[in-house]
Amino acid sequence: HQLIHHSHKDGTMMPVESCEIFKAFNEGMRTHSDQEVFWTKSGASFPVEYWSYPMYREGKVVGAVVTFIDITQKLQLNEALVNSESKYRYLFENNPAPMWIYDEVSLAFLEVNEAAIEHYGYTRDEFLQLTIKDIRPLEDVERLMKDVDDTYKPLNRAGALRHIKKSGEIIYVDIVSHQIDYESKRARLVISTDITERIEMEKALVKAKEKAEESDRLKSAFLANMSHEIRTPMNSILGFSELLKDPQFDDKQKEAFI
């Protein structure tokens, strides 16, 4: 034991009696530590995970066998993972577009961001008690289930769908989802974009186009009718005008033409 320089997790040296390895030697107990610090001969420290087992000779503990692994890289990876998770959670929570994660099997909401809570009117706890079927109008649920059964692509653009807010208001949304693993569940990350205003504008444009086409049809019919109604008397007027110029008719006949 004297050959192993050992410290607490914070780097301060510990009394030998409190060392887990010493307990294996002194008390005959198998011990484990998931993170301690060992020191090299040169004085450099490194984190380790180790297991110590007592050694017996003639019924007495005469030492301990220590197996350890250097966990420097593991801790670095853990730190990078924590930082990455923190960064992406921040992006998820603060994304201006409503986003959520749902279980592909149960269709239950697993997580929602603040934008979804604000836009749809449900609290976080209320969302987590719902499934994605609950934010669809009843008449659209059958289509939803068909879409779920047909969707196997990691990235799926569902296109324009209808959702219903807590208030009962129906909105049109554009849905893009991506398959992910979330807390050991097969899940999908969803981004919802409200396109209600765009859809309403498109409907208004279609109505305006139909109205314009109807007006054009009526105008064409009116002009055709007017052309017919005007052409008939105009032909008579032009014909008699030609006769007025003919010298073979006398004044009395021309008066009749007039």
Side-chain angles (χ1 to χ4, degrees):
H1 182 273
Q2 292 176 350
L3 298 178
I4 302 176
H5 297 276
H6 193 226
S7 70
H8 284 293
K9 295 178 183 179
D10 61 6
T12 59
M13 298 302 294
M14 68 171 71
V16 69
E17 291 80 6
S18 64
C19 173
E20 295 294 330
I21 298 177
F22 183 77
K23 287 182 180 180
F25 173 76
N26 193 48
E27 302 174 12
M29 296 174 57
R30 180 177 67 85
T31 58
H32 169 256
S33 176
D34 60 355
Q35 186 180 339
E36 292 293 354
V37 178
F38 280 4
W39 300 81
T40 65
K41 182 178 180 180
S42 65
S45 63
F46 59 99
V48 298
E49 179 178 6
Y50 69 78
W51 298 259
S52 57
Y53 304 88
M55 293 173 57
Y56 292 92
R57 183 179 299 162
E58 297 178 356
K60 294 181 180 181
V61 178
V62 294
V65 175
V66 179
T67 302
F68 70 91
I69 56 174
D70 186 334
I71 59 172
T72 302
Q73 188 175 19
K74 175 184 175 182
L75 294 182
Q76 290 173 344
L77 290 173
N78 284 346
E79 183 179 2
L81 181 61
V82 169
N83 291 338
S84 177
E85 288 177 348
S86 175
K87 178 177 68 175
Y88 284 104
R89 175 157 290 278
Y90 177 84
L91 293 175
F92 175 82
E93 286 294 344
N94 294 280
N95 196 299
M99 298 176 68
W100 56 79
I101 299 171
Y102 74 88
D103 187 327
E104 279 197 323
V105 177
S106 67
L107 304 185
F109 286 96
L110 301 176
E111 188 59 83
V112 293
N113 71 351
E114 286 298 323
I117 292 169
E118 180 179 347
H119 197 73
Y120 284 79
Y122 295 100
T123 66
R124 187 180 302 276
D125 288 340
E126 286 173 335
F127 255 122
L128 299 183
Q129 298 299 316
L130 302 175
T131 72
I132 59 173
K133 292 189 292 185
D134 297 315
I135 62 169
R136 288 288 190 91
L138 288 176
E139 57 270 29
D140 292 0
V141 171
E142 184 177 349
R143 179 192 167 184
L144 166 66
M145 300 310 297
K146 185 178 185 303
D147 288 345
V148 169
D149 290 339
D150 292 345
T151 300
Y152 296 100
K153 296 180 294 185
L155 178 65
N156 181 50
R157 297 184 181 276
L161 304 173
R162 298 198 307 167
H163 279 175
I164 185 167
K165 295 183 177 182
K166 183 179 179 180
S167 64
E169 177 188 357
I170 293 178
I171 59 174
Y172 289 88
V173 294
D174 184 73
I175 294 295
V176 178
S177 67
H178 191 82
Q179 194 174 61
I180 62 172
D181 290 323
Y182 184 77
E183 296 180 347
S184 301
K185 295 182 177 72
R186 195 181 71 191
R188 294 195 80 87
L189 172 64
V190 176
I191 301 176
S192 170
T193 304
D194 192 331
I195 57 172
T196 305
E197 186 175 348
R198 191 192 84 190
I199 294 294
E200 294 300 332
M201 287 180 62
E202 288 176 354
K203 287 181 178 179
L205 286 173
V206 169
K207 288 182 179 179
K209 179 175 177 290
E210 291 174 350
K211 185 176 180 181
E213 289 174 345
E214 177 65 11
S215 296
D216 187 64
R217 187 186 67 79
L218 291 173
K219 181 184 72 173
S220 298
F222 172 77
L223 291 175
N225 188 56
M226 286 295 293
S227 176
H228 174 73
E229 295 297 330
I230 291 174
R231 185 181 297 113
T232 300
M234 284 300 293
N235 285 337
S236 297
I237 292 170
L238 291 172
F240 279 108
S241 296
E242 291 294 325
L243 293 176
L244 290 173
K245 295 188 297 181
D246 194 328
Q248 62 180 312
F249 293 105
D250 58 28
D251 291 341
K252 187 175 181 179
Q253 288 175 308
K254 291 180 179 179
E255 185 68 25
F257 294 158
I258 292 173

